[in-house]
Amino acid sequence: MTTASYPSADGVWDHLRLMPDAQADAGQLAADAADAEAAIVVAQGRIRWIGERSALPAEFAALPRFDGNGALVTPGLVDCHTHLVYGGQRANEFAMRLAGASYEEVAKAGGGIVSSVRATREASEDYLFVSAAQRLECLLAEGVCAIEIKSGYGLALEHERKQLRVARRLGEAYGVTVRTTFLGAHALPPEYAGRSQDYTDLVCQQMLPALAAEGLVDAVDVFCERIAFSLAETEQVFRAAQALGLPLKLHAEQLSDMGGAALAARYGALSCDHIEHLSQAGIDAMRAAGSVAVLLPGAYYTLRDTHLPPIAALRAAGVPMAVSTDHNPGTSPALSLLLMANMACTLFRLTVPEALAGITRHAARALGLQDTHGTLGVGRPANFVLWNVQDAAELAYWFGQRPVRSIVRQGRIAASP
């Protein structure tokens, strides 16, 4: 289905129950009326009014009605860290890890990111679009209304361009907000083995400027780790991105404490992601910078990690925590954001409200989309989901079930009964 074939959501959506903390302006539905039936007015693709159904202004009485039948309504979900566009798959590496191979051993054996690079370079843009579209449809069917898609499996200008072009096409074809992130500093391509500085120079001096000039880059990310890029190389990429006015993100402290989060925070990064080995110094720096901690339980689960992110310390510091699928072919082949919310609760011990904020308001903030996504408010684009559940906790409780009733995405009805 193309964007044009989605019907307009303009009208009054009533008989709704608002998820707690769903609104950008909490004053519009009084706290003592949280159980009251709510209504949302959509006009020209944006939320025109939201509040108690009994207080619906007369000016909207003649608009078309969409009966929510008592459904729970939440903001559209936000998947703020994915590697959705790639060639091939890496199920064989899953078997290798089960047989005892470590992440680093898989990489040294020619697997890991470099194996996806080979497959992505060999794939046509149309093939990448079709294969990524199948994955995207799974996420959209579960209520995702905004998604980040990284490059990083091309590791050469023409192939990074190919990935980012596909990401843009996906947004246009499916009417979903797509934020593209250039992750050219993801791994060393085979032709640059042993020459990490030369490759970092290529990323900073040629690839990033060219792709940014083509309008393909919304943010820049680096994999800062001992098997990837050093602190010095990471900072070089950050400086190049900063010179182009591009926001920053970082794969930080996944396998060891490299001090990457503190570095990213000094550059005002939107987020630091993975962070299993995050130190208190990194937490303090993130709090001061307003950076979001993006938790990726799918990778933690797939890698059978045992080193938990410092959830209690992040909570104590007031660092916002987002939750994402980290969809990728090697370490998190996850296509359910709701399952990640469940894992964030069961594996990382987030509370249900924390997990739900992690896939809505905090995830939007991790993409710099906090003014348009992740909460419901007058003037914002109409991105919301109606759920056939009695309690918001069910969204993090069930796994294997998809309790979606209706999805409104970019002011259009993307799914309905």
Side-chain angles (χ1 to χ4, degrees), residues 207-291:
M207 294 168 67
L208 177 53
L211 296 170
E214 293 170 27
L216 293 174
V217 181
D218 296 323
V220 176
D221 194 356
V222 179
F223 185 17
C224 181
E225 192 54 74
R226 60 178 178 261
I227 62 170
F229 293 86
S230 68
L231 276 176
E233 290 163 342
T234 297
E235 185 165 20
Q236 183 180 343
V237 177
F238 281 0
R239 286 174 175 165
Q242 192 175 63
L244 293 168
L246 293 169
L248 300 168
K249 303 172 72 67
L250 188 67
H251 281 60
E253 272 71 274
Q254 180 183 9
L255 306 175
S256 63
D257 181 8
M258 294 274 291
L263 172 66
R266 289 203 301 273
Y267 281 83
L270 290 172
S271 72
C272 298
D273 305 28
H274 286 290
I275 61 168
E276 281 85 347
H277 294 263
L278 181 65
S279 67
Q280 186 62 50
I283 293 172
D284 293 342
M286 290 176 64
R287 176 186 58 195
S291 300

Side-chain angles (χ1 to χ4, degrees), residues 7 36 81 110 117 139 150 171-172 203 264 282 302 306 314 334 356 370 399:
H81 180 130
V117 171
L139 295 166
K150 301 179 189 291
E172 294 167 1
V203 166
T302 302
T306 58
L314 288 164
L356 297 183
Q370 62 270 24
F399 50 94

